[in-house]
Amino acid sequence: MNMNALRTNSRWTRARRWLSDMWILWVLIGLMVVMSFLSPVFLTAENLLENVARPASIVAIITIGMTFVITSRGLDLSVGSNAALSSTIGILAVEALHLPVPLGIVLSLIVGLSFGLVNAFFITKIRVAPFIVTLGMLSIGRGLTLAVSGTSFTYGLPDSYRDWGRGSILGLPTPFVILIVLWIVGVYLYSYTRIGLYARSLGSNESSTRRAGINGDAYKTLYYAFIGVLAALAGVLWSARANTISVTTGIGTELDVIAAVIIGGTSLFGGAGSVTGSILGAFALVVLTNGLQLFGINTLVQRIVIGVVIIVALAVGKVRSDRLTQQRGAEAARMASSVG
Amino acid sequence: MAGAQSVTPTDVLLVEMRGISKSFPGVRALDNVDFELRAGEVHCLLGENGAGKSTLIKILTGVYSPDAGEIRIQGQRIPHLTPHLAQQRGISAIYQDFDLVPSLSIAENVFLGREPLTAYGSVNRDEMRAQTRVLFEGLDIKVNPDALLSSVGVGLQQLTEIVKALSRNSKIVIMDEPTTSLNQVEVQRLFAAVRALKEQNIAVVYISHRMQEVFGIGDRATVLRDGRIVGTEELEELTTEDLVAMMVGRKLQERYYKEVVTPGDTVLELSDITTADYVVRGVSFRLRRGEILGVAGLRRSGFKEVLRVMAGVVPPKTGTVKINDKPVSLLTPRDAIEAGIGYLPEDRKTEGLVLSLAVKNNIVLPILPRLGRWGLTNAGREKETAGHYVRDLEIRTPSMYQETEFLSGGNQQKVIMAKWLASHSQVLLFDEPTQGIDVGAKIEMYKLIARFVREGGALVMVSSEIAELMSICDRILVMRDGKIAGEFEPGTTTEEQVLQVVASSTDTTHE
């Protein structure tokens, strides 16, 4: 038998495999190198912190939750609407009911959690396809946002609220610091606990997972609740950064989030994924947008370029993973045939 | 081979089932059945499809509850056995479609749902790896516990199931047709693992259609027929013929059926066929009318891929195919069908049939354009054609409108055969024609094959059962590393001689 089959992967092999699986890291670095050559402004601290890290962090926070959801073979299209609805309710409570800011934010997170639980209820108990449930909730969330905010247009939030989106901690944008904390939590949950393990298991073979005595519905509910809270948090950071309630907050965000997760290496068909990859994916998309803006390229063209990049990235990823599968399959075949 | 093991079963009864009966609407699935298991024995469970084997297993694993009778596990009477209770009492079942998760590692699969945790509540991977390795070593196998399940072969996946059962402290392991998708090397490894289980005083219930295996690994056999026990016997005291007779209830003169047909002209000729992935390399042979050609080999030797080339599924990179001396290009399955080649794949359910379609629709699927006109289908002629073949091949189905997924394996195979007869195929490519089909239906299949070649057809069949090839074929080609490594005529060779060429491992360092 081949020696490699006997040895547990050494730390070094694992690190190498991680780096090769983490090709989105190379994509991100490549994009940044290209952008710094093309625009003198790109590689300034001001641009990187304010125009890249700050907005990217807000989207990236949602991708952490989406990684769990997609890995377990689910989908959540309602994150943008959830962000808008939860942040709006929280801010209205602060403005109209004079609720303290921290409580307002907690209220937003609770709304986000409930939003996720509603998704989870229909998906696990009524067994409606996640695509349908969350598409419906996308529409419902947007409608409710309009309904609660009415035509009122609040500009100018309390400073302590605004700081969540506009402030800095140790020179780093607050949303970025929050992202770093959530990244560590996310990686821990995904790679070191049952929560992540069962997401992979459910996404790969749900019936076997259930037969192993695992409460699949409970775990799925956890994933949708988690992404609900994260979407609400992103909504809060968004409004704080914009210094306003906006019913248009997060329109189309679901697509950016899903694109970031998929180009970050999570399989759309479930079973495998990477929290770090998703976050890097979100940054790559923002770097690209930022670069195009710096060149003064028209917004419409930006959307087209981003669309093309997503498709190309996924196509390349698919070809890569097919080749990897083939290689690893061939390895296994060689091992099997050399046994006798 | 029976009794050759160093370990002899003990007399400790792990399971006693007495007077078990179970009925389903319209069917008496089990009628007053007694079944017992001793610690450390391999107990083979035999019977044709529908004899009651799977009902018995489902009662033992707590999936079904019996209408009458009692079950004792390790001496203790258990009135209401549930799947959970059965597992707790040490009963594990390994089914043909494994209960495993492809994207998890071997260790993660073994401990799924029962992961050891660290003090901080995270999954203790080191512990899982170590325990997995120890359990595999108990079966004399070394593995990388981090290997993804999807990256390892079927053989190792099966062993992972066994290890999973061991990690649950199972005392009784039920294996349902465990060798169906294994090659001969993997079968040997499985047998070694089963012997290791015996040494640990575990009882194994072994369900198989393959007599060779039953005698190779079993200590005792229980035969079921029509829901009743025909007998439980020590295998040492039985012959294959005895067992088959017990199963089918009539003494079969032979397990195989073959007619002598004088071969005619060459109908198919392959010259120097190589595929793009080099799984098949420079293969040439001829096939004559009236001939049954067998192809043998280990997995990935290219023996199944040759069939897929001729079926137009895998287009060859180089080389030519001639039908009736005229070169044809087989780039798609359509090309092959038009050239008169019909392919009966190993995986009947996904490749051979459209399971959700009726018998009739499956039969006429390739010839719809011929039966209809102006792009329209012709219901009358479809019905007529399908009806003809349903009667002719004696396909047992309530009607030709029955969805094929509800047919037995043998009858599904007949539907596929009918499809190719209806499209006037002159060459049939048969991949594992009798796999998972019970003994009685096998004979019927052989008779249909014999009739097809008698009437001027030619047939290539691939089988991992050498005995089947030896009994049915006129010629046997053995493939190894994508090339033809030998050609045999069954009349002048022994099974061992063929097996030697099939299994002789090639030394890749000299390539």
Side-chain angles (χ1 to χ4, degrees):
Chain A
M1 193 185 271
N2 187 318
M3 279 314 288
N4 285 328
L6 305 184
R7 249 192 338 244
T8 311
N9 299 346
S10 67
R11 258 170 215 293
W12 169 235
T13 351
R14 264 186 270 167
R16 260 193 356 214
R17 194 168 265 194
W18 186 84
L19 279 179
S20 99
D21 285 347
M22 209 34 73
W23 70 298
I24 182 66
L25 182 62
W26 307 117
V27 172
L28 179 60
I29 292 173
L31 272 173
M32 292 182 70
V33 170
V34 172
M35 293 304 172
S36 27
F37 274 111
L38 292 179
S39 158
V41 187
F42 179 79
L43 213 57
T44 58
E46 166 76 12
N47 183 56
L48 285 182
L49 291 178
E50 292 308 316
N51 301 328
V52 176
R54 202 177 283 275
S57 298
I58 299 178
V59 175
I61 285 171
I62 311 179
T63 66
I64 297 174
M66 194 66 92
T67 308
F68 286 85
V69 170
I70 292 183
T71 299
S72 70
R73 214 173 208 168
L75 193 66
D76 191 348
L77 296 172
S78 67
V79 286
S81 298
N82 182 357
L85 179 66
S86 342
S87 61
T88 301
I89 290 178
I91 291 167
L92 287 178
V94 171
E95 299 264 313
L97 306 174
H98 306 292
L99 212 63
V101 167
L103 283 186
I105 292 176
V106 170
L107 178 62
S108 291
L109 299 186
I110 291 172
V111 173
L113 174 71
S114 321
F115 204 96
L117 290 176
V118 172
N119 279 332
F121 174 78
F122 283 101
I123 289 163
T124 61
K125 296 294 170 229
I126 317 286
R127 307 224 166 267
V128 186
F131 181 91
I132 304 297
V133 173
T134 59
L135 186 63
M137 288 296 281
L138 178 152
S139 185
I140 292 169
R142 194 58 66 185
L144 285 177
T145 310
L146 276 166
V148 295
S149 67
T151 51
S152 71
F153 182 80
T154 315
Y155 191 84
L157 302 175
D159 286 352
S160 62
Y161 195 102
R162 224 173 45 198
D163 280 349
W164 284 94
R166 293 192 168 182
S168 292
I169 297 172
L170 300 171
L172 297 171
T174 307
F176 185 68
V177 175
I178 295 175
L179 171 69
I180 297 294
V181 174
L182 290 174
W183 170 56
I184 295 168
V185 173
V187 167
Y188 179 75
L189 292 179
Y190 193 90
S191 302
Y192 296 92
T193 70
R194 291 181 168 174
I195 295 171
L197 179 61
Y198 294 166
R200 284 164 53 214
S201 190
L202 284 166
S204 180
N205 185 343
E206 183 167 341
S207 49
S208 282
T209 309
R210 287 176 186 276
R211 274 197 297 272
I214 293 157
N215 186 342
D217 288 349
Y219 279 91
K220 285 185 178 178
T221 303
L222 187 63
Y223 308 140
Y224 285 100
F226 185 44
I227 196 175
V229 173
L230 292 179
L233 177 60
V236 167
L237 300 179
W238 242 314
S239 311
R241 182 170 180 242
N243 196 19
T244 177
I245 288 183
S246 160
V247 293
T248 59
T249 299
I251 286 184
T253 303
E254 58 282 347
L255 296 182
D256 292 339
V257 171
I258 292 166
V261 170
I262 303 300
I263 63 178
T266 297
S267 163
L268 192 50
F269 305 106
S274 160
V275 167
T276 310
S278 302
I279 293 173
L280 294 174
F283 272 77
L285 288 180
V286 173
V287 164
L288 188 64
T289 319
N290 176 243
L292 296 173
Q293 279 163 356
L294 290 178
F295 312 143
I297 288 170
N298 154 339
T299 325
L300 296 176
V301 179
Q302 282 176 28
R303 299 303 305 175
I304 294 171
V305 172
I306 289 177
V308 170
V309 167
I310 291 174
I311 294 174
V312 170
L314 289 183
V316 172
K318 171 98 173 76
V319 170
R320 261 187 93 260
S321 79
D322 281 358
R323 222 181 42 210
L324 269 181
T325 315
Q326 230 172 39
Q327 267 173 21
R328 288 172 194 176
E331 251 168 58
R334 263 203 310 283
M335 275 157 47
S337 61
S338 61
V339 166
Chain B
M1 274 206 277
Q5 294 88 21
S6 54
V7 183
T8 44
T10 65
D11 289 332
V12 179
L13 285 184
L14 286 182
V15 170
E16 289 176 79
M17 297 171 89
R18 299 272 170 251
I20 302 287
S21 294
K22 176 78 184 172
S23 294
F24 297 105
V27 198
R28 194 158 177 81
L30 289 179
D31 187 6
N32 199 21
V33 165
D34 293 344
F35 183 72
E36 56 172 48
L37 274 176
R38 296 176 189 153
E41 78 165 337
V42 176
H43 195 133
C44 298
L45 189 56
L46 295 131
E48 302 193 70
N49 289 348
K53 285 173 302 183
S54 52
T55 310
L56 184 63
I57 291 312
K58 282 186 172 146
I59 288 174
L60 183 55
T61 51
V63 177
Y64 293 158
S65 53
D67 302 337
E70 69 169 41
I71 304 169
R72 278 171 194 276
I73 298 174
Q74 303 191 37
Q76 196 185 343
R77 183 161 180 256
I78 307 209
H80 298 291
L81 192 64
T82 62
H84 184 69
L85 207 53
Q87 218 180 69
Q88 260 184 359
R89 297 280 167 159
I91 299 177
S92 286
I94 300 171
Y95 295 103
Q96 286 176 53
D97 39 350
F98 304 140
D99 207 4
L100 296 169
V101 182
S103 75
L104 298 187
S105 73
I106 290 182
E108 286 168 342
N109 266 291
V110 169
F111 288 98
L112 187 64
R114 299 168 299 121
E115 298 80 7
L117 298 181
T118 63
Y120 314 105
S122 63
V123 175
N124 191 340
R125 287 225 147 72
D126 291 335
E127 177 72 21
M128 272 166 54
R129 283 190 198 107
Q131 285 194 29
T132 302
R133 220 178 274 123
V134 168
L135 287 166
F136 269 101
E137 274 161 13
L139 305 179
D140 269 329
I141 295 159
K142 298 208 161 174
V143 289
N144 171 3
D146 288 332
L148 281 192
L149 192 84
S150 56
S151 73
V152 306
V154 198
L156 195 47
Q157 294 187 1
Q158 182 139 45
L159 295 167
T160 304
E161 280 272 29
I162 295 177
V163 164
K164 201 166 107 181
L166 286 178
S167 78
R168 292 179 178 154
N169 283 319
S170 299
K171 291 280 167 265
I172 295 135
V173 177
I174 300 161
M175 298 185 187
D176 187 7
E177 299 263 359
T179 57
T180 312
S181 43
L182 303 189
N183 66 36
Q184 276 154 348
V185 177
E186 290 166 330
V187 169
Q188 288 315 314
R189 276 216 294 185
L190 174 74
F191 279 14
V194 169
R195 288 190 189 108
L197 293 181
K198 281 169 60 103
E199 278 175 41
Q200 300 175 28
N201 257 324
I202 289 168
V204 176
V205 179
Y206 193 96
I207 302 174
S208 178
H209 281 109
R210 299 184 183 171
M211 293 299 156
Q212 236 180 333
E213 289 175 10
V214 168
F215 282 98
I217 196 74
D219 298 305
R220 286 200 296 169
T222 290
V223 178
L224 280 167
R225 194 198 322 142
D226 303 327
R228 290 194 190 88
I229 294 279
V230 181
T232 298
E233 308 277 350
E234 299 285 333
L235 275 163
E236 271 183 306
E237 292 157 13
L238 291 179
T239 65
T240 308
E241 277 63 36
D242 295 335
L243 262 189
V244 173
M246 282 167 84
M247 283 167 69
V248 298
R250 52 185 188 273
K251 192 91 179 172
L252 280 184
Q253 285 305 303
E254 293 177 20
R255 285 190 292 149
Y256 298 102
Y257 179 86
K258 173 150 185 67
E259 293 176 10
V260 180
V261 177
T262 321
D265 306 329
T266 299
V267 53
L268 176 78
E269 184 177 356
L270 262 65
S271 335
D272 211 19
I273 292 289
T274 299
T275 55
D277 54 8
Y278 292 97
V279 173
V280 175
R281 290 186 275 178
V283 167
S284 311
F285 63 80
R286 285 159 190 267
L287 179 69
R288 299 164 69 182
R289 286 186 190 283
E291 197 178 29
I292 303 176
L293 176 68
V295 187
L298 292 183
R299 204 196 299 196
R300 287 177 233 277
S301 63
F303 75 130
K304 300 214 163 173
E305 287 74 8
V306 165
L307 233 55
R308 296 176 86 82
V309 169
M310 292 186 276
V313 178
V314 179
K317 189 175 162 228
T318 55
T320 51
V321 180
K322 283 186 193 166
I323 300 270
N324 297 327
D325 269 340
K326 280 194 292 277
V328 290
S329 83
L330 302 177
L331 300 178
T332 65
R334 184 84 249 163
D335 294 338
I337 294 168
E338 273 162 16
I341 299 175
Y343 174 46
L344 296 93
E346 179 178 8
D347 193 347
R348 293 189 289 269
K349 293 182 185 210
T350 62
E351 292 183 22
L353 290 169
V354 185
L355 280 185
S356 60
L357 286 186
V359 170
K360 181 200 83 169
N361 300 76
N362 269 288
I363 293 177
V364 298
L365 196 56
I367 54 166
L368 284 178
R370 203 183 73 205
L371 294 181
R373 244 197 295 178
W374 300 313
L376 299 176
T377 54
N378 182 330
R381 292 181 63 192
E382 283 173 27
K383 205 175 124 186
E384 191 184 313
T385 310
H388 168 74
Y389 286 102
V390 168
R391 280 188 303 276
D392 194 34
L393 304 189
E394 294 176 24
I395 298 174
R396 275 179 284 279
T397 169
S399 86
M400 68 169 99
Y401 302 104
Q402 178 75 39
E403 287 83 0
T404 44
E405 62 179 302
F406 300 113
L407 267 51
S408 71
N411 283 302
Q412 287 181 342
Q413 195 71 291
K414 285 187 186 174
V415 173
I416 307 176
M417 190 136 175
K419 172 169 76 177
W420 297 128
L421 294 180
S423 57
H424 303 308
S425 298
Q426 24 182 350
V427 176
L428 289 187
L429 311 172
F430 232 136
D431 192 351
E432 305 283 358
T434 58
Q435 184 172 88
I437 293 178
D438 61 57
V439 178
K442 275 186 185 179
I443 299 286
E444 272 191 274
M445 211 65 238
Y446 297 137
K447 287 191 170 153
L448 287 175
I449 288 174
R451 190 178 119 193
F452 176 73
V453 293
R454 190 203 320 136
E455 288 168 359
L459 195 134
V460 184
M461 80 181 242
V462 156
S463 173
S464 29
E465 266 178 272
I466 306 294
E468 182 177 52
L469 294 178
M470 294 290 289
S471 315
I472 300 301
C473 299
D474 300 301
R475 244 181 339 137
I476 299 174
L477 300 176
V478 176
M479 287 196 60
R480 217 171 53 205
D481 291 333
K483 298 177 194 137
I484 293 178
E487 183 174 338
F488 298 93
E489 281 186 26
T492 61
T493 349
T494 65
E495 203 174 319
E496 282 66 34
Q497 285 171 306
V498 178
L499 261 174
Q500 224 164 28
V501 180
V502 168
S504 65
S505 66
T506 40
D507 195 349
T508 41
T509 52
H510 293 296
E511 287 271 321

